[in-house]
Amino acid sequence: MKQIVVANSLCGVMMQSTLLSKVILILASVSLILCLFIFIYKLLLLREKNKQIAQVQASIQGAETLDDILSLGATLKGTLPGALLGRGLVALKSLLHASHGEHKKLTEKDFELLQDVLDQSLQDVIVREHDYVNVISVSAAVAPLIGLFGTITGLIQAFIAIGQQKSSDIAAIAPGIAEALLTTFAGLVVAIPGLILYNYLLARINNLEHHLVS
């Protein structure tokens, strides 16, 4: 009686499935674990960077002179806002050295060049923030297709069993159908959470970009 229960359980279906279905299930499990790991890793990084941005914004508000801002850039070296501030200050220094006049005033063209440098720096930061995030998106898109592939192979096995036994008895086709549904389930288990995690991280990255711009 126990053997029948095990054979009819989810674990029993997995153990009795073909090699292809087992490979699909393993790939789905690895993809899900990888997506969760990337999500947690990126989420912790984004939280830390948001804290750094809040710290920089508070420090900049307390700065009164250019020397205060320069010292702030040195203090925050190694952080995300510090890197952005550092690139902006380097560009500002080079423009001040290149400018002419007694008071070293920046022209409108100089301000445009400085803005271009800051925009490019911000764009580089946002591009780096998308590193590994696309792995979640690809996994969410490919997982249902891999599950569908397993579904098709399972149904083919069911029809082969019907042809061999020349009967449509449920006992003949049940293993193939169960295997087909199992791979479909595995694909959805990866795709649905992956899609949610990807969009959540995307929203957090957009929020980080908003804080950097403001």
Side-chain angles (χ1 to χ4, degrees):
M1 182 65 180
K2 291 183 178 180
Q3 293 179 350
I4 296 176
V5 173
V6 172
N8 292 331
S9 66
L10 182 61
C11 182
V13 174
M14 293 173 60
M15 296 301 296
Q16 295 176 4
S17 61
T18 62
L19 178 61
L20 179 61
S21 296
K22 289 179 180 178
V23 171
I24 291 175
L25 293 175
I26 292 173
L27 288 175
S29 301
V30 172
S31 297
L32 182 59
I33 294 173
L34 181 61
C35 290
L36 290 174
F37 175 79
I38 292 174
F39 173 76
I40 295 173
Y41 171 72
K42 296 296 291 186
L43 187 62
L44 292 175
L45 285 181
L46 288 171
R47 285 183 176 178
E48 180 62 26
K49 290 174 181 178
N50 279 320
K51 291 180 181 178
Q52 293 174 358
I53 292 172
Q55 178 185 357
V56 170
Q57 289 176 342
S59 300
I60 289 179
Q61 290 178 355
E64 298 179 353
T65 64
L66 181 59
D67 291 335
D68 293 337
I69 298 178
L70 291 175
S71 61
L72 181 62
T75 304
L76 298 173
K77 187 178 180 180
T79 64
L80 171 63
L84 286 175
L85 185 61
R87 291 184 64 173
L89 291 175
V90 169
L92 180 60
K93 283 182 179 180
S94 60
L95 289 174
L96 287 173
H97 285 300
S99 64
H100 301 285
E102 183 179 353
H103 300 288
K104 294 184 179 181
K105 292 183 178 180
L106 296 179
T107 64
E108 184 176 351
K109 185 178 180 180
D110 292 334
F111 280 111
E112 292 178 356
L113 291 174
L114 181 59
Q115 184 64 43
D116 291 339
V117 170
L118 294 176
D119 290 340
Q120 185 61 47
S121 301
L122 178 61
Q123 186 65 29
D124 293 341
V125 167
I126 299 303
V127 169
R128 285 197 299 271
E129 290 303 318
H130 282 85
D131 290 344
Y132 306 113
V133 177
N134 289 330
V135 174
I136 301 178
S137 175
V138 172
S139 298
V142 174
L145 300 179
I146 297 178
L148 180 61
F149 183 73
T151 302
I152 294 173
T153 58
L155 292 177
I156 291 174
Q157 291 175 12
F159 284 113
I160 290 175
I162 293 174
Q164 289 176 346
Q165 299 186 13
K166 297 181 180 180
S167 172
S168 59
D169 184 28
I170 189 63
I173 63 175
I177 294 177
E179 187 175 330
L181 295 177
L182 182 60
T183 55
T184 303
F185 173 75
L188 294 177
V189 165
V190 177
I192 295 174
L195 188 62
I196 295 173
L197 297 180
Y198 172 74
N199 283 281
Y200 182 79
L201 283 179
L202 203 61
R204 294 298 300 266
I205 292 174
N206 292 334
N207 184 54
L208 177 69
E209 181 179 5
H210 173 72
H211 285 307
L212 288 173
V213 172
S214 60

PDB file of all heavy atoms in Angstrom, residues 145-177:
ATOM      1  N   LEU A 145       8.935  28.030 -21.627  1.00  0.00           N
ATOM      2  CA  LEU A 145       9.205  27.345 -22.889  1.00  0.00           C
ATOM      3  C   LEU A 145       9.846  25.980 -22.647  1.00  0.00           C
ATOM      4  O   LEU A 145       9.516  24.996 -23.318  1.00  0.00           O
ATOM      5  CB  LEU A 145      10.107  28.210 -23.767  1.00  0.00           C
ATOM      6  CG  LEU A 145       9.550  29.586 -24.154  1.00  0.00           C
ATOM      7  CD1 LEU A 145      10.555  30.356 -24.994  1.00  0.00           C
ATOM      8  CD2 LEU A 145       8.239  29.431 -24.896  1.00  0.00           C
ATOM      9  N   ILE A 146      10.769  25.942 -21.666  1.00  0.00           N
ATOM     10  CA  ILE A 146      11.386  24.657 -21.315  1.00  0.00           C
ATOM     11  C   ILE A 146      10.333  23.722 -20.721  1.00  0.00           C
ATOM     12  O   ILE A 146      10.303  22.519 -21.022  1.00  0.00           O
ATOM     13  CB  ILE A 146      12.545  24.869 -20.331  1.00  0.00           C
ATOM     14  CG1 ILE A 146      13.647  25.706 -20.988  1.00  0.00           C
ATOM     15  CG2 ILE A 146      13.109  23.538 -19.863  1.00  0.00           C
ATOM     16  CD1 ILE A 146      14.813  26.016 -20.079  1.00  0.00           C
ATOM     17  N   GLY A 147       9.455  24.271 -19.892  1.00  0.00           N
ATOM     18  CA  GLY A 147       8.366  23.457 -19.341  1.00  0.00           C
ATOM     19  C   GLY A 147       7.441  22.952 -20.426  1.00  0.00           C
ATOM     20  O   GLY A 147       6.980  21.801 -20.386  1.00  0.00           O
ATOM     21  N   LEU A 148       7.161  23.786 -21.421  1.00  0.00           N
ATOM     22  CA  LEU A 148       6.324  23.369 -22.544  1.00  0.00           C
ATOM     23  C   LEU A 148       6.991  22.264 -23.352  1.00  0.00           C
ATOM     24  O   LEU A 148       6.325  21.338 -23.835  1.00  0.00           O
ATOM     25  CB  LEU A 148       6.034  24.576 -23.438  1.00  0.00           C
ATOM     26  CG  LEU A 148       5.165  24.315 -24.679  1.00  0.00           C
ATOM     27  CD1 LEU A 148       3.786  23.789 -24.269  1.00  0.00           C
ATOM     28  CD2 LEU A 148       5.045  25.579 -25.508  1.00  0.00           C
ATOM     29  N   PHE A 149       8.304  22.356 -23.491  1.00  0.00           N
ATOM     30  CA  PHE A 149       9.049  21.306 -24.174  1.00  0.00           C
ATOM     31  C   PHE A 149       8.879  19.968 -23.464  1.00  0.00           C
ATOM     32  O   PHE A 149       8.660  18.923 -24.095  1.00  0.00           O
ATOM     33  CB  PHE A 149      10.521  21.691 -24.248  1.00  0.00           C
ATOM     34  CG  PHE A 149      11.378  20.713 -24.991  1.00  0.00           C
ATOM     35  CD1 PHE A 149      11.318  20.614 -26.368  1.00  0.00           C
ATOM     36  CD2 PHE A 149      12.244  19.870 -24.302  1.00  0.00           C
ATOM     37  CE1 PHE A 149      12.104  19.709 -27.059  1.00  0.00           C
ATOM     38  CE2 PHE A 149      13.042  18.968 -24.970  1.00  0.00           C
ATOM     39  CZ  PHE A 149      12.964  18.883 -26.357  1.00  0.00           C
ATOM     40  N   GLY A 150       8.979  20.003 -22.129  1.00  0.00           N
ATOM     41  CA  GLY A 150       8.761  18.786 -21.357  1.00  0.00           C
ATOM     42  C   GLY A 150       7.324  18.299 -21.468  1.00  0.00           C
ATOM     43  O   GLY A 150       7.070  17.084 -21.472  1.00  0.00           O
ATOM     44  N   THR A 151       6.372  19.240 -21.565  1.00  0.00           N
ATOM     45  CA  THR A 151       4.966  18.865 -21.729  1.00  0.00           C
ATOM     46  C   THR A 151       4.748  18.100 -23.027  1.00  0.00           C
ATOM     47  O   THR A 151       4.050  17.081 -23.062  1.00  0.00           O
ATOM     48  CB  THR A 151       4.092  20.129 -21.710  1.00  0.00           C
ATOM     49  OG1 THR A 151       4.303  20.832 -20.491  1.00  0.00           O
ATOM     50  CG2 THR A 151       2.622  19.763 -21.831  1.00  0.00           C
ATOM     51  N   ILE A 152       5.355  18.590 -24.086  1.00  0.00           N
ATOM     52  CA  ILE A 152       5.200  17.940 -25.380  1.00  0.00           C
ATOM     53  C   ILE A 152       5.791  16.540 -25.371  1.00  0.00           C
ATOM     54  O   ILE A 152       5.184  15.581 -25.867  1.00  0.00           O
ATOM     55  CB  ILE A 152       5.853  18.802 -26.482  1.00  0.00           C
ATOM     56  CG1 ILE A 152       5.077  20.119 -26.628  1.00  0.00           C
ATOM     57  CG2 ILE A 152       5.889  18.061 -27.814  1.00  0.00           C
ATOM     58  CD1 ILE A 152       5.731  21.100 -27.554  1.00  0.00           C
ATOM     59  N   THR A 153       7.000  16.413 -24.800  1.00  0.00           N
ATOM     60  CA  THR A 153       7.625  15.081 -24.745  1.00  0.00           C
ATOM     61  C   THR A 153       6.806  14.121 -23.888  1.00  0.00           C
ATOM     62  O   THR A 153       6.691  12.929 -24.206  1.00  0.00           O
ATOM     63  CB  THR A 153       9.053  15.187 -24.184  1.00  0.00           C
ATOM     64  OG1 THR A 153       9.019  15.789 -22.882  1.00  0.00           O
ATOM     65  CG2 THR A 153       9.934  16.017 -25.099  1.00  0.00           C
ATOM     66  N   GLY A 154       6.207  14.620 -22.813  1.00  0.00           N
ATOM     67  CA  GLY A 154       5.370  13.769 -21.969  1.00  0.00           C
ATOM     68  C   GLY A 154       4.129  13.288 -22.700  1.00  0.00           C
ATOM     69  O   GLY A 154       3.732  12.121 -22.586  1.00  0.00           O
ATOM     70  N   LEU A 155       3.510  14.197 -23.461  1.00  0.00           N
ATOM     71  CA  LEU A 155       2.328  13.804 -24.235  1.00  0.00           C
ATOM     72  C   LEU A 155       2.694  12.812 -25.340  1.00  0.00           C
ATOM     73  O   LEU A 155       1.908  11.897 -25.644  1.00  0.00           O
ATOM     74  CB  LEU A 155       1.670  15.050 -24.832  1.00  0.00           C
ATOM     75  CG  LEU A 155       1.026  16.009 -23.817  1.00  0.00           C
ATOM     76  CD1 LEU A 155       0.481  17.238 -24.517  1.00  0.00           C
ATOM     77  CD2 LEU A 155      -0.079  15.301 -23.039  1.00  0.00           C
ATOM     78  N   ILE A 156       3.860  13.000 -25.937  1.00  0.00           N
ATOM     79  CA  ILE A 156       4.320  12.047 -26.959  1.00  0.00           C
ATOM     80  C   ILE A 156       4.462  10.656 -26.342  1.00  0.00           C
ATOM     81  O   ILE A 156       4.065   9.642 -26.948  1.00  0.00           O
ATOM     82  CB  ILE A 156       5.648  12.523 -27.576  1.00  0.00           C
ATOM     83  CG1 ILE A 156       5.410  13.771 -28.428  1.00  0.00           C
ATOM     84  CG2 ILE A 156       6.281  11.420 -28.415  1.00  0.00           C
ATOM     85  CD1 ILE A 156       6.673  14.392 -28.964  1.00  0.00           C
ATOM     86  N   GLN A 157       5.023  10.605 -25.150  1.00  0.00           N
ATOM     87  CA  GLN A 157       5.166   9.311 -24.473  1.00  0.00           C
ATOM     88  C   GLN A 157       3.805   8.692 -24.178  1.00  0.00           C
ATOM     89  O   GLN A 157       3.636   7.458 -24.260  1.00  0.00           O
ATOM     90  CB  GLN A 157       5.954   9.483 -23.185  1.00  0.00           C
ATOM     91  CG  GLN A 157       7.418   9.835 -23.391  1.00  0.00           C
ATOM     92  CD  GLN A 157       8.122  10.109 -22.083  1.00  0.00           C
ATOM     93  OE1 GLN A 157       7.590   9.830 -21.019  1.00  0.00           O
ATOM     94  NE2 GLN A 157       9.317  10.650 -22.174  1.00  0.00           N
ATOM     95  N   ALA A 158       2.837   9.522 -23.836  1.00  0.00           N
ATOM     96  CA  ALA A 158       1.492   9.005 -23.559  1.00  0.00           C
ATOM     97  C   ALA A 158       0.884   8.392 -24.808  1.00  0.00           C
ATOM     98  O   ALA A 158       0.286   7.305 -24.756  1.00  0.00           O
ATOM     99  CB  ALA A 158       0.608  10.130 -23.026  1.00  0.00           C
ATOM    100  N   PHE A 159       1.046   9.060 -25.942  1.00  0.00           N
ATOM    101  CA  PHE A 159       0.513   8.522 -27.194  1.00  0.00           C
ATOM    102  C   PHE A 159       1.265   7.267 -27.639  1.00  0.00           C
ATOM    103  O   PHE A 159       0.677   6.345 -28.217  1.00  0.00           O
ATOM    104  CB  PHE A 159       0.557   9.587 -28.286  1.00  0.00           C
ATOM    105  CG  PHE A 159      -0.512  10.629 -28.151  1.00  0.00           C
ATOM    106  CD1 PHE A 159      -0.182  11.943 -27.858  1.00  0.00           C
ATOM    107  CD2 PHE A 159      -1.852  10.308 -28.296  1.00  0.00           C
ATOM    108  CE1 PHE A 159      -1.162  12.919 -27.729  1.00  0.00           C
ATOM    109  CE2 PHE A 159      -2.847  11.267 -28.178  1.00  0.00           C
ATOM    110  CZ  PHE A 159      -2.500  12.570 -27.879  1.00  0.00           C
ATOM    111  N   ILE A 160       2.558   7.240 -27.378  1.00  0.00           N
ATOM    112  CA  ILE A 160       3.335   6.037 -27.695  1.00  0.00           C
ATOM    113  C   ILE A 160       2.838   4.860 -26.860  1.00  0.00           C
ATOM    114  O   ILE A 160       2.707   3.727 -27.357  1.00  0.00           O
ATOM    115  CB  ILE A 160       4.835   6.288 -27.457  1.00  0.00           C
ATOM    116  CG1 ILE A 160       5.376   7.264 -28.504  1.00  0.00           C
ATOM    117  CG2 ILE A 160       5.610   4.975 -27.514  1.00  0.00           C
ATOM    118  CD1 ILE A 160       6.823   7.663 -28.285  1.00  0.00           C
ATOM    119  N   ALA A 161       2.560   5.123 -25.582  1.00  0.00           N
ATOM    120  CA  ALA A 161       2.041   4.063 -24.711  1.00  0.00           C
ATOM    121  C   ALA A 161       0.687   3.557 -25.208  1.00  0.00           C
ATOM    122  O   ALA A 161       0.405   2.348 -25.161  1.00  0.00           O
ATOM    123  CB  ALA A 161       1.920   4.574 -23.276  1.00  0.00           C
ATOM    124  N   ILE A 162      -0.149   4.454 -25.693  1.00  0.00           N
ATOM    125  CA  ILE A 162      -1.441   4.046 -26.243  1.00  0.00           C
ATOM    126  C   ILE A 162      -1.241   3.147 -27.456  1.00  0.00           C
ATOM    127  O   ILE A 162      -1.910   2.122 -27.635  1.00  0.00           O
ATOM    128  CB  ILE A 162      -2.288   5.280 -26.616  1.00  0.00           C
ATOM    129  CG1 ILE A 162      -2.692   6.041 -25.343  1.00  0.00           C
ATOM    130  CG2 ILE A 162      -3.533   4.874 -27.390  1.00  0.00           C
ATOM    131  CD1 ILE A 162      -3.406   7.341 -25.620  1.00  0.00           C
ATOM    132  N   GLY A 163      -0.284   3.555 -28.328  1.00  0.00           N
ATOM    133  CA  GLY A 163      -0.028   2.757 -29.519  1.00  0.00           C
ATOM    134  C   GLY A 163       0.557   1.397 -29.207  1.00  0.00           C
ATOM    135  O   GLY A 163       0.229   0.401 -29.864  1.00  0.00           O
ATOM    136  N   GLN A 164       1.431   1.317 -28.220  1.00  0.00           N
ATOM    137  CA  GLN A 164       2.048   0.036 -27.888  1.00  0.00           C
ATOM    138  C   GLN A 164       1.050  -0.928 -27.252  1.00  0.00           C
ATOM    139  O   GLN A 164       1.054  -2.125 -27.566  1.00  0.00           O
ATOM    140  CB  GLN A 164       3.232   0.269 -26.937  1.00  0.00           C
ATOM    141  CG  GLN A 164       4.437   0.933 -27.609  1.00  0.00           C
ATOM    142  CD  GLN A 164       5.541   1.228 -26.626  1.00  0.00           C
ATOM    143  OE1 GLN A 164       5.331   1.184 -25.408  1.00  0.00           O
ATOM    144  NE2 GLN A 164       6.735   1.529 -27.147  1.00  0.00           N
ATOM    145  N   GLN A 165       0.224  -0.396 -26.367  1.00  0.00           N
ATOM    146  CA  GLN A 165      -0.731  -1.260 -25.680  1.00  0.00           C
ATOM    147  C   GLN A 165      -2.062  -1.364 -26.430  1.00  0.00           C
ATOM    148  O   GLN A 165      -2.938  -2.140 -26.024  1.00  0.00           O
ATOM    149  CB  GLN A 165      -0.974  -0.751 -24.254  1.00  0.00           C
ATOM    150  CG  GLN A 165       0.291  -0.741 -23.397  1.00  0.00           C
ATOM    151  CD  GLN A 165       0.012  -0.373 -21.951  1.00  0.00           C
ATOM    152  OE1 GLN A 165      -1.130  -0.356 -21.517  1.00  0.00           O
ATOM    153  NE2 GLN A 165       1.071  -0.096 -21.196  1.00  0.00           N
ATOM    154  N   LYS A 166      -2.205  -0.547 -27.485  1.00  0.00           N
ATOM    155  CA  LYS A 166      -3.439  -0.543 -28.274  1.00  0.00           C
ATOM    156  C   LYS A 166      -4.660  -0.362 -27.395  1.00  0.00           C
ATOM    157  O   LYS A 166      -5.689  -1.000 -27.570  1.00  0.00           O
ATOM    158  CB  LYS A 166      -3.555  -1.836 -29.092  1.00  0.00           C
ATOM    159  CG  LYS A 166      -2.447  -2.011 -30.114  1.00  0.00           C
ATOM    160  CD  LYS A 166      -2.617  -3.288 -30.900  1.00  0.00           C
ATOM    161  CE  LYS A 166      -1.474  -3.431 -31.927  1.00  0.00           C
ATOM    162  NZ  LYS A 166      -1.596  -4.678 -32.720  1.00  0.00           N
ATOM    163  N   SER A 167      -4.470   0.545 -26.419  1.00  0.00           N
ATOM    164  CA  SER A 167      -5.551   0.819 -25.479  1.00  0.00           C
ATOM    165  C   SER A 167      -5.361   2.210 -24.907  1.00  0.00           C
ATOM    166  O   SER A 167      -4.242   2.673 -24.717  1.00  0.00           O
ATOM    167  CB  SER A 167      -5.555  -0.222 -24.349  1.00  0.00           C
ATOM    168  OG  SER A 167      -6.488   0.144 -23.345  1.00  0.00           O
ATOM    169  N   SER A 168      -6.468   2.870 -24.670  1.00  0.00           N
ATOM    170  CA  SER A 168      -6.424   4.204 -24.065  1.00  0.00           C
ATOM    171  C   SER A 168      -6.716   4.137 -22.574  1.00  0.00           C
ATOM    172  O   SER A 168      -7.288   5.063 -21.999  1.00  0.00           O
ATOM    173  CB  SER A 168      -7.431   5.134 -24.762  1.00  0.00           C
ATOM    174  OG  SER A 168      -8.743   4.597 -24.647  1.00  0.00           O
ATOM    175  N   ASP A 169      -6.328   3.034 -21.980  1.00  0.00           N
ATOM    176  CA  ASP A 169      -6.528   2.857 -20.535  1.00  0.00           C
ATOM    177  C   ASP A 169      -5.763   3.943 -19.784  1.00  0.00           C
ATOM    178  O   ASP A 169      -4.622   4.289 -20.131  1.00  0.00           O
ATOM    179  CB  ASP A 169      -6.046   1.467 -20.118  1.00  0.00           C
ATOM    180  CG  ASP A 169      -6.321   1.202 -18.639  1.00  0.00           C
ATOM    181  OD1 ASP A 169      -7.288   1.784 -18.117  1.00  0.00           O
ATOM    182  OD2 ASP A 169      -5.559   0.446 -18.028  1.00  0.00           O
ATOM    183  N   ILE A 170      -6.366   4.488 -18.761  1.00  0.00           N
ATOM    184  CA  ILE A 170      -5.761   5.577 -17.988  1.00  0.00           C
ATOM    185  C   ILE A 170      -4.437   5.157 -17.375  1.00  0.00           C
ATOM    186  O   ILE A 170      -3.520   5.969 -17.222  1.00  0.00           O
ATOM    187  CB  ILE A 170      -6.742   6.070 -16.896  1.00  0.00           C
ATOM    188  CG1 ILE A 170      -6.216   7.356 -16.238  1.00  0.00           C
ATOM    189  CG2 ILE A 170      -6.978   4.964 -15.870  1.00  0.00           C
ATOM    190  CD1 ILE A 170      -6.097   8.505 -17.161  1.00  0.00           C
ATOM    191  N   ALA A 171      -4.290   3.902 -17.034  1.00  0.00           N
ATOM    192  CA  ALA A 171      -3.036   3.432 -16.444  1.00  0.00           C
ATOM    193  C   ALA A 171      -1.883   3.507 -17.432  1.00  0.00           C
ATOM    194  O   ALA A 171      -0.724   3.638 -17.048  1.00  0.00           O
ATOM    195  CB  ALA A 171      -3.200   1.992 -15.953  1.00  0.00           C
ATOM    196  N   ALA A 172      -2.201   3.435 -18.732  1.00  0.00           N
ATOM    197  CA  ALA A 172      -1.152   3.484 -19.754  1.00  0.00           C
ATOM    198  C   ALA A 172      -0.686   4.902 -20.036  1.00  0.00           C
ATOM    199  O   ALA A 172       0.495   5.141 -20.303  1.00  0.00           O
ATOM    200  CB  ALA A 172      -1.651   2.817 -21.042  1.00  0.00           C
ATOM    201  N   ILE A 173      -1.632   5.844 -19.995  1.00  0.00           N
ATOM    202  CA  ILE A 173      -1.283   7.215 -20.389  1.00  0.00           C
ATOM    203  C   ILE A 173      -1.028   8.132 -19.191  1.00  0.00           C
ATOM    204  O   ILE A 173      -0.502   9.232 -19.361  1.00  0.00           O
ATOM    205  CB  ILE A 173      -2.404   7.825 -21.262  1.00  0.00           C
ATOM    206  CG1 ILE A 173      -3.707   7.932 -20.461  1.00  0.00           C
ATOM    207  CG2 ILE A 173      -2.594   7.002 -22.522  1.00  0.00           C
ATOM    208  CD1 ILE A 173      -4.822   8.630 -21.213  1.00  0.00           C
ATOM    209  N   ALA A 174      -1.398   7.686 -17.993  1.00  0.00           N
ATOM    210  CA  ALA A 174      -1.254   8.542 -16.813  1.00  0.00           C
ATOM    211  C   ALA A 174       0.184   8.957 -16.551  1.00  0.00           C
ATOM    212  O   ALA A 174       0.442  10.135 -16.248  1.00  0.00           O
ATOM    213  CB  ALA A 174      -1.845   7.848 -15.597  1.00  0.00           C
ATOM    214  N   PRO A 175       1.186   8.043 -16.643  1.00  0.00           N
ATOM    215  CA  PRO A 175       2.563   8.480 -16.376  1.00  0.00           C
ATOM    216  C   PRO A 175       3.043   9.580 -17.312  1.00  0.00           C
ATOM    217  O   PRO A 175       3.688  10.543 -16.871  1.00  0.00           O
ATOM    218  CB  PRO A 175       3.377   7.193 -16.564  1.00  0.00           C
ATOM    219  CG  PRO A 175       2.410   6.095 -16.303  1.00  0.00           C
ATOM    220  CD  PRO A 175       1.112   6.581 -16.847  1.00  0.00           C
ATOM    221  N   GLY A 176       2.734   9.442 -18.596  1.00  0.00           N
ATOM    222  CA  GLY A 176       3.167  10.464 -19.546  1.00  0.00           C
ATOM    223  C   GLY A 176       2.505  11.801 -19.303  1.00  0.00           C
ATOM    224  O   GLY A 176       3.144  12.856 -19.372  1.00  0.00           O
ATOM    225  N   ILE A 177       1.207  11.782 -18.999  1.00  0.00           N
ATOM    226  CA  ILE A 177       0.486  13.031 -18.730  1.00  0.00           C
ATOM    227  C   ILE A 177       0.984  13.664 -17.428  1.00  0.00           C
ATOM    228  O   ILE A 177       1.166  14.891 -17.349  1.00  0.00           O
ATOM    229  CB  ILE A 177      -1.028  12.755 -18.663  1.00  0.00           C
ATOM    230  CG1 ILE A 177      -1.538  12.317 -20.038  1.00  0.00           C
ATOM    231  CG2 ILE A 177      -1.769  13.997 -18.191  1.00  0.00           C
ATOM    232  CD1 ILE A 177      -3.003  11.961 -20.062  1.00  0.00           C
TER     233      ILE A 177
END
